[in-house]
Amino acid sequence: MTDTLVKSTRPIIFRHLGKREYERVWHAMQAYTDNRHPESLDEIWFVEHAPVFTQGQAGKDEHMLFANDIPVVKVDRGGQVTYHGPGQLVAYFLLDIKRLKIGVRELVTRIEQSLVELLDGYSIEAYPKKDAPGVYVDEKKIASLGLRIRRGCSFHGLALNVNMDLAPFKQINPCGYAGLEMVQISDYCDISQVNQTATDLMPIITKLLGYSEVEQITGFKND
């Protein structure tokens, strides 16, 4: 890591959303980013999604190998196609990176490093790759990453496979890579609860992003 983070005097909010349909959360991310102001707090949203394929802005239809009843949503993040489903921890990073004084590449690096540290705590040896964002174990992918930056602020984020049905990944070339095998935390240890991984990830992210104070919120205001 290269950029020096400004130590934030503001708290970061971790918002626990439970299980949600993808499109509602996506549109909420867009709205938060479009309506935030210089004093808006940064937030990270933890969520599990109902089964859905999401295709990034550069996504090519050829990476959808065959269709079934799982919906495909074309979205405004970077990257190709991936799958979200129950048993996967999704974390969305709604950060003012201009205020944090870090670039996009550095943010990606810090997110990847947070996952490497988390998995190390579970005795899983994981690593990022320079040419393929995400985190890998034994050349197999355990976490995907895709961001969007708008008005100096980030949204979208990471998807970490915890204890899920991996079969839908065989319907796609994950992240645009033919034959890429996907794995999950429960393949390597007895960690199987998404909530536990979120709880364990929070202090790591807090440290790597330079925050000293944390607030936790459950759900949205209009729930």
Side-chain angles (χ1 to χ4, degrees):
M1 293 183 289
T2 55
D3 293 2
T4 300
L5 279 170
V6 175
K7 292 292 183 181
S8 180
T9 58
R10 302 172 175 85
I12 185 168
I13 292 176
F14 288 95
R15 190 176 294 275
H16 300 269
L17 298 178
K19 295 181 180 180
R20 304 267 178 160
E21 295 292 331
Y22 179 84
E23 291 196 59
R24 182 189 175 194
V25 179
W26 171 36
H27 293 313
M29 281 193 289
Q30 292 175 315
Y32 187 83
T33 302
D34 290 341
N35 294 318
R36 66 182 298 164
H37 52 77
E39 298 305 311
S40 295
L41 295 179
D42 289 338
E43 299 196 8
I44 294 175
W45 298 356
F46 290 130
V47 63
E48 285 181 79
H49 287 306
V52 63
F53 294 110
T54 65
Q55 192 172 40
Q57 287 182 306
K60 297 179 180 179
D61 291 341
E62 66 200 53
H63 294 307
M64 285 294 311
L65 303 181
F66 62 92
N68 62 4
D69 57 351
I70 298 176
V72 181
V73 180
K74 294 188 177 182
V75 299
D76 54 354
R77 61 163 171 77
Q80 295 281 338
V81 65
T82 193
Y83 170 71
H84 299 305
Q88 180 189 67
L89 174 65
V90 178
Y92 292 127
F93 288 74
L94 290 91
L95 310 176
D96 186 337
I97 64 172
K98 186 176 181 181
R99 187 170 66 200
L100 287 172
K101 299 188 184 303
I102 60 172
V104 181
R105 180 61 253 181
E106 183 65 19
L107 175 59
V108 169
T109 297
R110 289 176 190 268
I111 293 173
E112 290 173 333
Q113 184 58 35
S114 72
L115 292 170
V116 170
E117 290 190 23
L118 173 74
L119 294 169
D120 182 66
Y122 301 153
S123 298
I124 301 172
E125 186 175 347
Y127 51 90
K129 290 184 175 183
K130 288 184 178 180
D131 59 342
V135 174
Y136 299 80
V137 178
D138 299 327
E139 293 300 302
K140 303 167 186 177
K141 197 164 194 176
I142 197 167
S144 303
L145 196 154
L147 294 169
R148 174 73 186 271
I149 308 298
R150 183 184 293 170
R151 298 168 53 238
C153 298
S154 66
F155 58 111
H156 292 287
L158 67 86
L160 173 64
N161 304 334
V162 180
N163 184 29
M164 62 187 300
D165 178 8
L166 296 174
F169 282 108
K170 296 189 180 300
Q171 296 175 226
I172 61 175
N173 291 328
C175 305
Y177 291 91
L180 178 61
E181 186 174 350
M182 304 296 290
V183 292
Q184 55 190 331
I185 289 174
S186 61
D187 292 337
Y188 297 91
C189 66
D190 61 1
I191 303 296
S192 61
Q193 298 300 312
V194 170
N195 288 344
Q196 179 178 350
T197 59
T199 297
D200 294 342
L201 187 57
M202 279 191 290
I204 300 171
I205 291 174
T206 301
K207 176 190 68 175
L208 286 176
L209 291 178
Y211 294 93
S212 57
E213 186 178 347
V214 168
E215 293 182 12
Q216 296 190 59
I217 296 175
T218 299
F220 291 123
K221 288 182 180 178
N222 58 350
D223 282 344

